[in-house]
Amino acid sequence: MAAPSQPQKSTYDVIVIGAGIQGSFTAYNLAQRHKDTLLLEQFLLPHSRGSSHGQSRIIRSAYPQEYYSRMMPESFRLWQQLEAETGTTLYRQTGLVVLGPSGEPELEACRKSLGVDVLDAAALAKRFPGFRLQAGQVAVLDSTAGVLFADRALRAVQEVFRRHGGTLRDGEKVLRIEPGATVTVTTTAGVYKAPRLVITAGAWTGAFVEQLGLRLPLQPLRIDVCYWREKQPGSAGLGSVSPCFLTLGLSQAPHGIYGLPSIEYPGLMKVCHHHGSPIDPEKRDQVPSSAPHPDIAVLSSFISSYLPGLETQPAVMETCLYTNTPDEDFILDRHPKFSNIVIGAGFSGHGFKLAPMVGKLLCELCLGEEPSHNMAHFAITRFPGVLGAA
């Protein structure tokens, strides 16, 4: 970040709006490619106002969608590259169990992509005594999976971005974007120009692209991030050595539930509903008085049935933002009218693990190159009627 005494430079090769994990990896890739890059963040860093804060995220190879599972080997490799470049540990291998009804199509797709057998209730309980399956349910084990240390990862990628000559300016809210052969970005602290712009502004992306004549179907959600205490410390098999988990196809949790071993808070397991309440990101802290935490009952019921070693009321509650698309696939594309403006959005609560790949792909789009993966599932044009009057 530029010190106040330095003269403020105004012209760059690329401007990236939003210094969450996706924008930071995009900026890092651009700086690696010797592009003079400005990364803008509206909040003072570090902050907990968006989607990239907190200490832990799941990383896994298991994905029902082949287009994500194909990206994961390179994503793992790029995370390891960042660890090596910064000398920082960013990943702990814990394994992950995917729980669901026997024969459930998405669960079966995960099993096939991993090339493993299913575990029945007895086999799962023997391997991981803290978990209890219900009749007709099975588990799939992803032994490659684990936990990414999210806050540490965000700091690491921003550090190497600056090391490669990038400029990171925080506490600067973008007020206006003027498209053209040269894009002009006006913030609360200055005016910047660049021939290329990348927008990775999380829950604020919808408002930015509306200035540019796009109405993307992006829905910010306020997520309850809950931590649950073991009834008897160390007895439930759910401490720091337990695996992550996620559910697919359970009738009592249609959006899915996921969990991570105790890392943030010793003795507390992180278990969350993969869903939340629609929210204006500017009003994130204004919790509605009616049913302020609608997902707690879903989680309490799940824990009673599947994780009986945990208390059924959360010991700690925090919040996070998701920004969902209708199909929960990402948007990674050029603006349909302004090809020098690239948009990365709608990560729908499962983008963190893929951030190194997202940054690489957005960099390729920004530089006018052929992307290194098939981008059909991430195209803006899959949503009809998004291009309106600016």
Side-chain angles (χ1 to χ4, degrees):
M1 283 165 276
S5 59
Q6 292 177 324
Q8 189 167 312
K9 182 177 163 181
S10 62
T11 305
Y12 293 85
D13 294 333
V14 189
I15 298 169
V16 180
I17 298 175
I21 197 66
Q22 313 296 352
S24 295
F25 261 112
T26 303
Y28 162 53
N29 274 271
L30 288 161
Q32 266 193 321
R33 301 284 295 275
H34 308 293
K35 300 301 174 188
D36 187 11
T37 304
L38 171 65
L39 178 58
L40 291 170
E41 170 55 51
Q42 65 172 321
F43 300 114
L44 291 171
L45 293 169
H47 72 84
S48 58
R49 314 301 303 160
S51 303
S52 296
H53 66 282
Q55 293 183 47
S56 61
R57 296 291 189 282
I58 293 173
I59 182 169
R60 55 188 162 105
S61 298
Y63 251 110
Q65 301 91 344
E66 189 186 358
Y67 44 96
Y68 290 121
S69 62
R70 277 200 306 265
M71 289 183 187
M72 283 312 303
E74 188 172 1
S75 195
F76 270 104
R77 183 184 65 77
L78 292 171
W79 279 115
Q80 289 164 356
Q81 181 179 301
L82 181 64
E83 284 187 316
E85 197 169 348
T86 58
T88 307
T89 300
L90 302 176
Y91 162 68
R92 178 188 294 171
Q93 187 170 355
T94 64
L96 170 134
V97 287
V98 187
L99 313 174
S102 178
E104 199 279 331
E106 289 197 329
L107 186 71
E108 184 62 14
C110 286
R111 186 195 68 76
K112 284 183 178 176
S113 75
L114 293 168
V116 298
D117 296 326
V118 296
L119 302 174
D120 62 15
L124 181 69
K126 184 176 180 181
R127 184 112 182 224
F128 304 114
F131 291 89
R132 180 186 294 163
L133 287 177
Q134 310 302 300
Q137 295 175 351
V138 294
V140 169
L141 174 61
D142 177 356
S143 59
T144 69
V147 176
L148 288 169
F149 303 129
D151 283 344
R152 195 185 297 177
L154 186 61
R155 287 195 303 272
V157 70
Q158 290 170 353
E159 175 192 323
V160 290
F161 165 64
R162 287 193 291 249
R163 206 186 291 166
H164 283 284
T167 302
L168 173 54
R169 300 190 67 88
D170 63 350
E172 286 199 34
K173 186 177 178 67
V174 171
L175 303 175
R176 189 167 64 254
I177 300 167
E178 297 166 56
T182 298
V183 183
T184 302
V185 176
T186 303
T187 75
T188 48
V191 179
Y192 307 99
K193 294 179 182 290
R196 302 179 184 94
L197 173 70
V198 182
I199 301 173
T200 48
W204 288 265
T205 299
F208 285 132
V209 299
E210 275 194 16
Q211 296 180 35
L212 304 169
L214 271 185
R215 289 187 177 86
L216 295 179
L218 297 172
Q219 178 59 69
L221 298 175
R222 182 185 186 276
I223 307 298
D224 289 327
V225 181
C226 302
Y227 299 84
W228 311 73
R229 193 180 308 281
E230 290 178 280
K231 290 177 180 174
Q232 293 183 328
S235 66
L238 292 169
S240 59
V241 295
S242 73
C244 302
F245 77 86
L246 61 87
T247 71
L248 289 173
L250 293 185
S251 57
Q252 62 266 57
H255 298 284
I257 289 172
Y258 64 91
L260 295 86
S262 57
I263 290 173
E264 282 99 324
Y265 303 104
L268 302 186
M269 189 173 185
K270 182 177 179 178
V271 182
C272 307
H273 196 200
H274 191 61
H275 193 58
S277 308
I279 190 79
D280 177 345
E282 296 289 350
K283 301 175 182 175
R284 170 179 170 160
D285 298 320
Q286 296 178 18
V287 181
S289 55
S290 59
H293 303 290
D295 296 322
I296 300 303
V298 172
L299 290 168
S300 295
S301 173
F302 173 84
I303 284 168
S304 294
S305 299
Y306 291 85
L307 300 167
L310 296 181
E311 301 283 356
T312 55
Q313 290 300 313
V316 176
M317 287 181 58
E318 298 171 351
T319 61
C320 189
L321 291 180
Y322 286 4
T323 306
N324 282 28
T325 60
D327 57 13
E328 296 190 4
D329 283 331
F330 310 159
I331 292 171
L332 308 172
D333 205 353
R334 298 183 183 96
H335 190 293
K337 187 174 176 184
F338 308 114
S339 62
N340 60 339
I341 297 178
V342 170
I343 299 159
F347 295 100
S348 303
H350 66 106
F352 201 101
K353 71 185 78 62
L354 281 155
M357 281 302 306
V358 167
K360 180 180 177 180
L361 293 167
L362 291 175
C363 172
E364 291 166 347
L365 286 171
C366 182
L367 299 181
E369 299 172 356
E370 185 67 26
S372 49
H373 280 262
N374 183 346
M375 303 291 277
H377 293 280
F378 311 127
I380 287 172
T381 51
R382 74 186 192 268
F383 303 116
V386 297
L387 192 59

